[in-house]
Amino acid sequence: MNILILGSGGREHALAWKLAQSKKAGRIFIAPGNAGTGTAGTNLNIDPEDFASVKKAVADHRIGMVVVGPEAPLVGGIHDFFLEDEFLRNIPVIGPVRSAARLEGSKDFAKAFLTRHNIPTAKYKTFEKTNSFEVESFLRTLEPPYVIKADGLAAGKGVVILEKIEDALAETDAIINGKFGNAGLKVVIEQFLKGIELSVFIITDGKSYKLLPEAKDYKRVGEGDTGLNTGGMGAVSPVPFAGYDFIQKVKVRIIDPTIQGLRDEGIDYKGFIFFGLINVKGDPYVIEYNARLGDPESEAVIPRIKSDLFDLMEGVAKGDLEKRDLVIDDRYVTTVMLVSGGYPGHYEKGYEISGLGNTEQCILFHSGTKNAGNKVVTSGGRVMAVSSWGNTMNEALAGSYSNAASVSFRDMYYRKDIGFDL
Ligand code: AMP
Ligand code: GLY
């Protein structure tokens, strides 16, 4: 069966790399993909949010399954578009329908869902123009710092953490008044939770689920977790502090009630759920839900899946995931993201990447790369993720770092301290 993967980052390269190994998979197409995905399958120059073009690609390439990488097409309703279309109706989409993607697309929806189902999360309240006069009194019930979140998708820039109540008031006001356009007509203000974060992933057919490997992501650009937030500078899997007892708590307190909650609300969830969690003194709390896999977490998580990922996706499509096998590699996988100098601020693109053939015992998952003639050049802030295996975290990191040093492009930067806190 031919598969179409939507997206263009390292996560989609990891998905393409893994699905291409399945004996049951036919040809792999990636839209729009990057220079790396082009080595695992065939890139199609299509915008994943242009559903009419996606439909045409499905027909032209006799696609039998669509795997959605990023959140935007899910929140935009691509799965619903398939279900409502006579020609597309029977083609499975791995990724939830719009009503379920709201778990990621609306922080207010996610917090209300968590609260309805008694799932541990930070105390919160949602504000909009009509109740904005209550913001200050709510802030006074919280201890600083204050966590202020725009309700909708804001390209990862919608969350700020502020020490002073005046700043929190000003930020709330700015968001309510359109700082993020429609993404911010509502604002969620939360209690600040102190702990260490991790990302937990499941794949579900809406009835049962399989727990995928967890990972820790490094979001800040600078070493020691300093500087601006990025899409993610590296990841480690497994997470040493997420032992058996902790993961049991995650299952019982968070994953099971999430699946049950979706069922109770009549939402048929088919795809991945990414639980952004924080470990507060041994107890897990939900910081956020995402309706997809993480990036760069996927570049550490997917290489640890030994079983056929296509078989699991077929289980999602057919609703018999329970009968499918998931075998996980016990070894560590670490990934280090090579980024363009200046990222996440201004950076240049179009620099030639050299040394791609010099790496060994690692996988280079491309993110912001493209082909230019017979060269591979940079085309984004996050350029590629260097993933390596090891029996210990340090062994895996040594592989990621020695291979990172084999690749080069002008102004290349990467964090040298991934895993420093574990
Ligand atoms: P989100 O987009 O909701 O994941 O928030 C972005 C980042 O802000 C998270 O990864 C956390 O580092 C931080 N954050 C969000 N909510 C909280 C909270 N309630 N307490 C502490 N940190 C938070
Ligand atoms: N690495 C975090 C994310 O994918 O949202």
Side-chain angles (χ1 to χ4, degrees):
M1 178 191 287
N2 293 346
I3 304 168
L4 173 61
I5 301 169
L6 300 182
S8 63
R11 166 183 51 213
E12 289 74 23
H13 188 185
L15 285 166
W17 168 83
K18 182 69 184 166
L19 291 172
Q21 296 167 36
S22 169
K23 289 194 180 66
K24 294 205 256 177
R27 296 185 65 195
I28 312 284
F29 294 86
I30 309 94
N34 58 41
T37 61
T39 64
T42 305
N43 289 339
L44 303 174
N45 190 14
I46 288 171
D47 174 358
E49 290 174 72
D50 174 358
F51 299 167
S53 296
V54 172
K55 175 175 174 178
K56 185 169 180 304
V58 168
D60 290 350
H61 302 288
R62 300 156 46 94
I63 300 296
M65 177 186 282
V66 176
V67 179
V68 187
E71 63 279 14
L74 296 168
V75 174
I78 193 163
H79 197 153
D80 311 70
F81 176 83
F82 272 62
L83 292 174
E84 287 155 15
D85 186 286
E86 206 158 326
F87 168 72
L88 297 173
R89 185 169 298 149
N90 295 318
I91 296 172
V93 175
I94 307 301
V97 292
R98 186 195 280 120
S99 60
R102 281 186 299 168
L103 285 179
E104 172 162 7
S106 165
K107 307 251 184 225
D108 174 50
F109 178 81
K111 293 297 282 190
F113 179 91
L114 289 160
T115 308
R116 274 199 295 285
H117 301 290
N118 288 313
I119 301 169
T121 192
K123 181 176 136 187
Y124 85 108
K125 194 162 166 143
T126 301
F127 295 93
E128 51 198 318
K129 273 213 167 111
T130 52
N131 66 344
S132 61
F133 62 93
E134 292 169 348
V135 171
E136 183 167 355
S137 57
F138 181 68
L139 285 169
R140 293 206 183 279
T141 68
L142 303 173
E143 298 281 321
Y146 305 99
V147 183
I148 316 289
K149 303 185 175 182
D151 176 53
L153 295 182
K157 297 188 173 69
V159 178
V160 286
I161 298 178
L162 298 164
E163 283 295 333
K164 290 197 193 137
I165 203 160
E166 307 83 75
D167 295 340
L169 274 166
E171 180 67 18
T172 306
D173 205 52
I175 300 175
I176 289 180
N177 285 298
K179 179 176 175 183
F180 293 109
N182 283 337
L185 296 176
K186 288 185 186 172
V187 178
V188 171
I189 300 182
E190 283 183 25
Q191 167 197 21
F192 179 83
L193 296 175
K194 195 165 166 46
I196 181 160
E197 286 177 65
L198 78 159
S199 308
V200 169
F201 303 94
I202 64 165
I203 184 168
T204 179
D205 61 2
K207 299 186 298 246
S208 71
Y209 71 87
K210 301 277 186 207
L211 181 66
L212 302 175
E214 77 287 350
K216 183 160 194 310
D217 170 24
Y218 291 80
K219 288 200 173 97
R220 301 294 198 92
V221 72
E223 282 161 19
D225 286 341
T226 55
L228 293 174
N229 255 323
T230 69
M233 298 294 293
V236 172
S237 180
V239 178
F241 67 77
Y244 180 82
D245 291 345
F246 183 79
I247 293 293
Q248 277 308 113
K249 289 182 192 172
V250 171
K251 283 183 178 168
V252 173
R253 299 180 193 173
I254 292 169
I255 302 175
D256 294 343
T258 298
I259 298 289
Q260 193 57 45
L262 289 165
R263 294 190 72 165
D264 291 348
E265 297 188 21
I267 297 173
D268 190 19
Y269 197 111
K270 290 188 177 296
F272 296 100
I273 306 181
F274 167 164
F275 300 84
L277 305 181
I278 189 161
N279 174 355
V280 182
K281 297 185 183 129
D283 289 319
Y285 289 77
V286 177
I287 292 277
E288 65 167 351
Y289 284 115
N290 294 307
R292 53 174 173 84
L293 290 173
D295 194 346
E297 290 95 326
S298 296
E299 292 94 301
V301 166
I302 292 175
R304 292 192 58 217
I305 300 175
K306 282 195 186 168
S307 349
D308 181 345
L309 184 58
F310 178 73
D311 181 62
L312 293 169
M313 290 178 172
E314 208 175 47
V316 170
K318 295 195 169 144
D320 63 3
L321 182 63
E322 203 176 19
K323 294 189 204 143
R324 315 273 170 156
D325 284 329
L326 172 62
V327 182
I328 303 294
D329 190 333
D330 289 335
R331 289 176 297 169
Y332 277 82
V333 176
T334 58
T335 197
V336 171
M337 191 62 81
L338 310 181
V339 307
S340 298
Y343 172 79
H346 175 77
Y347 56 84
E348 299 294 332
K349 300 181 196 174
Y351 293 141
E352 181 177 357
I353 305 171
S354 55
L356 294 174
N358 297 345
T359 56
E360 47 187 39
Q361 295 182 8
C362 82
I363 323 168
L364 298 177
F365 290 122
H366 291 219
S367 189
T369 71
K370 66 174 189 185
N371 291 108
N374 52 11
K375 295 178 187 164
V376 176
V377 300
T378 63
S379 67
R382 292 196 294 170
V383 174
M384 64 178 62
V386 186
S387 298
S388 291
W389 286 267
N391 290 319
T392 62
M393 185 176 75
N394 285 333
E395 198 179 300
L397 284 167
S400 290
Y401 282 120
S402 67
N403 284 298
S406 304
V407 175
S408 72
F409 53 88
R410 192 168 155 189
D411 299 336
M412 179 174 107
Y413 167 76
Y414 54 94
R415 270 182 69 168
K416 311 235 171 14
D417 69 340
I418 298 304
F420 77 100
D421 52 341
L422 295 177

